[in-house]
Amino acid sequence: MIDGKKVLFSGMQATGNLTLGNYLGALKNWVTLSDEYECFYSVVDMHSITIRQDPAELRKRARALLTLYIAAGLDPKKNCLYYQSHVSGHAELSWILNCFTYMGELNRMTQFKDKSAKHGDNINAGLFTYPVLMAADILLYQADVVPVGVDQMQHLELTRDVAERFNNIYGDVFTIPEAYIGKVGAKIMSLQDPSKKMSKSDENPNGSIYLMDDTDTIMRKCKKAVTDSEGVILYRSEQPGVKNLIDIYSACTGKSAEDTVREFDGKGYGEFKMAVGEAVAAILKPLQEEFARLEKDKAYVDSIIKENAEKASYYASKTLRKVQKKVGFPARI
């Protein structure tokens, strides 16, 4: 707890371009959480280097992501927005937690198996111990809750196991985090393959709408969206492409799926796709304009980076010093 509020931690990797799915599924909802929680939102650039990155491009994307956090409405005075790599406690705690995590536990992580299959030429130790760094991210701030998708639930369970193991040995050191159960963001699927989530790593650029796509690009991608031959706009699993477009339209307009179906009853896919594209462009335009303004205000963004790194480091060091003392490291003089 900080100032009577429970602590929430989350983060995004500084790789690829954020998609409409990232925004509607996570970022948009983050904005509403700061009234209820003390929120730490990290740009997890340390996680990014488990896969080889172009250094200049990583720096550029990390800054763009942090700027997007602010542009999306995250108040840097109410939320701690920072680079993971600017808080050395992440790496320090990760090493200690490595010594309390078993090889068998890491061997069971499905994401390691998936990523190893994709990057067979670079199966590095960082990729293997990635979940331990994630545990450090969460435990460093004594997070009470963590918003996680199904693909990260296994990592949160490992975090809980390691924290409990440490507490059983040394006493009540770590808060045991829970999965955040609240308003669920829209689950947005690929426009070209509605069986898969919209992804910033999709090899088909028409499958994802990126947050910085201009209106013409958004309209073109929506027009090319996969539907079916049924020709009716209904919200059902038998029509995954149409269902996905309804989810997008509903999330952008605030209308329910039922209201959307009624609105487009008797209308064709072409007209519906146009309306979806217009709704997406409308919701992204203010974010894009604010991002462009912030990009020009280098001094302001720099000040946020510095102030928030100091805030994150302050809370991280409180946990780290306690952990270092517990495991027997000499006190710093």
Side-chain angles (χ1 to χ4, degrees), residues 33-277:
L33 295 173
S34 58
D35 290 332
E36 185 178 353
Y37 297 98
E38 185 71 33
C39 300
F40 290 81
Y41 293 124
S42 181
V43 173
V44 289
D45 48 353
M46 290 169 66
H47 284 292
S48 301
I49 64 169
T50 57
I51 297 166
R52 292 283 176 267
Q53 304 291 337
D54 175 84
E57 189 65 20
L58 180 60
R59 277 189 288 272
K60 179 182 174 183
R61 289 189 186 279
R63 187 179 180 92
L65 180 53
L66 191 137
T67 305
L68 262 176
Y69 283 178
I70 305 169
L74 289 172
D75 183 346
K77 297 295 183 186
K78 293 173 72 176
N79 304 276
C80 189
L81 317 175
Y82 71 100
Y83 296 134
Q84 182 188 29
S85 62
H86 282 195
V87 181
S88 62
H90 286 266
E92 293 183 73
L93 183 58
S94 182
W95 170 252
I96 295 172
L97 295 182
N98 267 318
C99 301
F100 292 84
T101 306
Y102 300 133
M103 294 285 286
E105 291 174 316
L106 294 177
N107 275 324
R108 289 194 292 272
M109 296 293 112
T110 55
Q111 277 210 346
F112 172 69
K113 295 170 187 174
D114 293 343
K115 290 187 177 182
S116 296
K118 289 180 184 175
H119 305 281
D121 59 337
N122 182 26
I123 305 174
N124 55 73
L127 197 62
F128 187 64
T129 60
Y130 179 108
V132 184
L133 178 56
M134 183 174 165
D137 299 338
I138 296 165
L139 300 176
L140 199 56
Y141 302 100
Q142 303 290 353
D144 296 280
V145 292
V146 184
V148 288
V150 175
D151 57 336
Q152 294 287 349
M153 200 65 203
Q154 194 182 29
H155 290 168
L156 182 60
E157 288 302 324
L158 178 69
T159 299
R160 289 169 53 83
D161 289 344
V162 173
E164 287 172 351
R165 184 175 301 141
F166 194 94
N167 286 356
N168 287 338
I169 298 169
Y170 297 109
D172 190 15
V173 177
F174 292 123
T175 300
I176 308 301
E178 302 280 349
Y180 169 74
I181 307 297
K183 183 184 176 187
V184 178
K187 187 176 181 183
I188 306 302
M189 312 306 281
S190 164
L191 295 178
Q192 293 299 307
D193 182 358
S195 68
K196 299 190 308 186
K197 273 177 66 175
M198 186 177 284
S199 170
K200 56 185 179 178
S201 60
D202 195 331
E203 293 179 2
N204 185 343
N206 291 317
S208 299
I209 294 172
Y210 301 108
L211 296 191
M212 291 297 116
D213 279 349
D214 59 31
T215 299
D216 288 345
T217 302
I218 292 168
M219 298 303 291
R220 176 176 52 77
K221 288 180 177 180
C222 286
K223 284 178 187 176
K224 289 184 175 181
V226 168
T227 48
D228 51 54
S229 58
E230 298 203 27
V232 290
I233 298 167
L234 294 172
Y235 192 72
R236 55 183 185 172
S237 55
E238 294 86 351
Q239 294 179 266
V242 174
K243 185 174 183 284
N244 186 41
L245 290 174
I246 292 173
D247 280 333
I248 293 171
Y249 186 77
S250 298
C252 290
T253 61
K255 298 176 182 178
S256 69
E258 293 77 14
D259 287 343
T260 300
V261 169
R262 278 194 292 271
E263 182 180 347
F264 292 95
D265 182 34
K267 296 180 180 176
Y269 288 163
E271 186 176 348
F272 180 46
K273 288 179 179 181
M274 287 285 288
V276 173

Side-chain angles (χ1 to χ4, degrees), residues 299-332:
Y300 171 71
V301 175
D302 284 349
S303 71
I304 296 304
I305 290 169
K306 184 174 185 295
E307 289 168 14
N308 280 218
E310 289 170 354
K311 179 181 177 180
S313 295
Y314 168 76
Y315 286 106
S317 66
K318 289 175 73 172
T319 297
L320 191 60
R321 297 296 168 259
K322 185 189 293 187
V323 171
Q324 289 169 332
K325 183 178 180 181
K326 290 289 186 182
V327 299
F329 291 171
R332 301 191 183 193

